[in-house]
Amino acid sequence: GIQVEQSPPDLILQEGANSTLRCNFSDSVNNLQWFHQNPWGQLINLFYIPSGTKQNGRLSATTVATERYSLLYISSSQTTDSGVYFCAGAQGGSEKLVFGKGTKLTVNP
Amino acid sequence: GAVVSQHPSWVICKSGTSVKIECRSLDFQATTMFWYRQFPKQSLMLMATSNEGSKATYEQGVEKDKFLINHASLTLSTLTVTSAHPEDSSFYICSARAGRAGGPSRHVGELFFGEGSRLTVL
């Protein structure tokens, strides 16, 4: 199966700073999603982005499918952005999402 | 987005007992649901794929007799942890795949997750 690598594993920011999280895949994917896991454990869908660029408020994501990576941008970070960000992908013909190990983001006031 | 609900949110049980966790898709039908397990500070690991009307398919290393999965309807899948032991303590989370697009917040093939169920076995 595919391998999903996320970087950095940990990130500490001051409120207001911008950040970029990266996700690399060992093989091409037909489904790619970004999630934010809140302190209670719930996974919040951020983006469904197998290719291209999307934006939602202060968050945006870009997937370059041909080079097998995706980036999540967080601008003007807020303390409520703290948590773990996961990317996950599924190979062609499979519905099974494989998760990376996550990036733990801490935004300090 | 779609709504997937899990119950209970947390459960504490004695070793040797069985625990059932329910996963419901509230506003869409799901022929396929997935069960994941997450240990503290680790990633999510797929346990099994739940198929409506047929047997679940389990990932390598997951005991199917320990983790019983039933997908009796298009909106409900259940995971039963049988004869639970302390090493089964974990965060269990289900997901369902949207079969139809529903505006900008729901894409065909997009997975939505329940709130998770935290199991503690004493």
Side-chain angles (χ1 to χ4, degrees):
Chain A
I2 62 169
Q3 306 296 317
V4 181
E5 291 186 4
Q6 288 188 246
S7 61
D10 293 279
L11 186 59
I12 300 175
L13 302 174
Q14 286 299 121
E15 203 167 21
N18 303 327
S19 62
T20 301
L21 283 59
R22 186 178 179 104
C23 183
N24 291 332
F25 293 86
S26 60
D27 205 343
S28 58
V29 295
N30 67 342
N31 177 358
L32 195 160
Q33 295 183 235
W34 282 96
F35 301 91
H36 176 212
Q37 188 167 39
N38 66 22
W40 297 272
Q42 185 168 9
L43 284 174
I44 308 299
N45 286 40
L46 297 178
F47 293 102
Y48 173 83
I49 187 165
S51 64
T53 297
K54 292 184 179 179
Q55 181 161 5
N56 184 1
R58 295 182 296 104
L59 301 181
S60 63
T62 295
T63 296
V64 183
T66 54
E67 297 187 20
R68 296 183 243 152
Y69 73 87
S70 184
L71 302 174
L72 177 69
Y73 305 97
I74 304 175
S75 64
S76 304
S77 58
Q78 300 176 359
T79 56
T80 51
D81 294 333
S82 296
V84 182
Y85 290 81
F86 288 103
C87 70
Q91 286 181 287
S94 173
E95 298 178 308
K96 303 177 185 179
L97 272 186
V98 177
F99 280 75
K101 293 185 177 181
T103 293
K104 182 179 179 182
L105 174 65
T106 303
V107 181
N108 294 318
Chain B
V3 179
V4 178
S5 179
Q6 264 183 258
H7 178 81
S9 301
W10 56 271
V11 57
I12 301 173
C13 70
K14 292 183 178 180
S15 186
T17 61
S18 295
V19 175
K20 180 185 285 188
I21 301 170
E22 293 186 346
C23 178
R24 295 181 183 274
S25 56
L26 299 184
D27 61 350
F28 66 102
Q29 293 183 334
T31 56
T32 304
M33 292 185 176
F34 303 91
W35 287 95
Y36 288 80
R37 182 175 183 177
Q38 185 180 31
F39 290 107
K41 298 185 179 181
Q42 294 191 21
S43 187
L44 283 77
M45 299 299 295
L46 180 64
M47 298 174 64
T49 302
S50 174
N51 306 297
E52 188 269 335
S54 64
K55 292 183 178 180
T57 53
Y58 292 81
E59 296 300 301
Q60 191 172 8
V62 178
E63 299 176 59
K64 60 180 181 181
D65 294 331
K66 159 69 79 174
F67 300 101
L68 299 180
I69 292 173
N70 184 277
H71 196 150
S73 76
L74 288 172
T75 59
L76 174 64
S77 174
T78 60
L79 168 68
T80 301
V81 183
T82 63
S83 187
H85 288 94
E87 58 265 31
D88 298 324
S89 299
S90 188
F91 188 64
Y92 294 89
I93 186 165
C94 70
S95 68
R97 183 179 68 91
R100 294 181 178 179
S105 61
R106 186 190 306 180
H107 305 87
V108 174
E110 185 175 5
L111 279 188
F112 292 88
F113 285 77
E115 307 94 328
S117 301
R118 197 167 300 280
L119 171 63
T120 301
V121 184
L122 303 176

